[in-house]
Amino acid sequence: MLVIFAKLDIPAPDRALIEAIRRHHDPLHGGVEPHFTLVFPFAGVSLGEVLGHVQNIASKVAPIPFRLARVAAVRDPLSPGAHLFLLPDEGEQQIIDLHDRLYSGVLSTSLHPTAVYLPHVTVGRFGTFEDSEAAAASQAAVDIGGVLTAITIGDFDGHRVEELHQVLLGDP
């Protein structure tokens, strides 16, 4: 299945902090770099169509500065599990706007009908919301600033992402 995401352009110490949290709480931590998922895994659209769509949208969007400043336990709306997210307090609306633009055209039917998008970096996966809450309570405060400079199209097998194409934001 294809997936579209934006890797974090952040300083090395901040990347190490995120990876330490993920190693402890996220069984998928080694499968992909820290990122914002922009289009969740989907099928039924050719890679060529997706690439053209992403190139068209990316060319019209400037790089997006962001700041991760909140740690939150969040229920998974599609399963009984829960997640530990890092949430932005800067750049949130620009990331939502990019997400919404990507779910247009050839990807308009890929959006889950009840989905409400919350920009986030997943750092933990749990069987229960209570476990996620406990992990959130034990986390120190975060303040991680960075920039989203590119959109990546990947092939996700349920455990790992193989990066297929990267498209720079603002590149006509």
Side-chain angles (χ1 to χ4, degrees), residues 1-171:
M1 295 184 34
L2 296 177
V3 63
I4 301 172
F5 58 98
K7 295 186 283 186
L8 309 182
D9 185 355
I10 57 176
D14 291 333
R15 181 173 302 283
L17 171 66
I18 290 173
E19 288 295 3
I21 297 168
R22 291 177 76 205
R23 266 191 307 279
H24 189 70
H25 296 295
D26 188 356
L28 299 179
H29 78 273
V32 65
E33 290 182 43
H35 64 279
F36 287 97
T37 301
L38 299 170
V39 176
F40 292 88
F42 63 95
V45 184
S46 75
L47 178 58
E49 288 177 298
V50 172
L51 180 57
H53 180 68
V54 169
Q55 288 171 328
N56 180 48
I57 289 168
S59 70
K60 299 171 186 151
V61 176
I64 301 171
F66 67 87
R67 179 159 304 283
L68 298 169
R70 296 177 286 152
V71 179
V74 178
R75 293 181 194 278
D76 187 324
L78 303 176
S79 78
H83 301 282
L84 185 63
F85 288 167
L86 300 182
L87 302 172
D89 68 348
E90 293 174 22
E92 179 180 27
Q93 190 58 55
Q94 292 89 337
I95 297 167
I96 291 170
D97 292 345
L98 178 56
H99 163 271
D100 291 348
R101 292 178 76 179
L102 287 166
Y103 270 111
S104 66
V106 299
L107 297 178
S108 62
T109 60
S110 298
L111 183 61
H112 193 278
T114 63
V116 174
Y117 182 64
L118 175 67
H120 64 275
V121 176
T122 302
V123 293
R125 298 173 199 280
F126 301 87
T128 69
F129 182 67
E130 292 73 25
D131 289 342
S132 180
E133 282 184 311
S138 72
Q139 262 329 120
V142 296
D143 184 13
I144 298 172
V147 181
L148 302 182
T149 58
I151 298 172
T152 302
I153 302 168
D155 183 23
F156 181 57
D157 69 4
H159 302 287
R160 301 189 75 71
V161 173
E162 176 188 354
E163 294 182 19
L164 303 174
H165 291 281
Q166 187 175 66
V167 179
L168 295 177
L169 292 174
D171 190 10

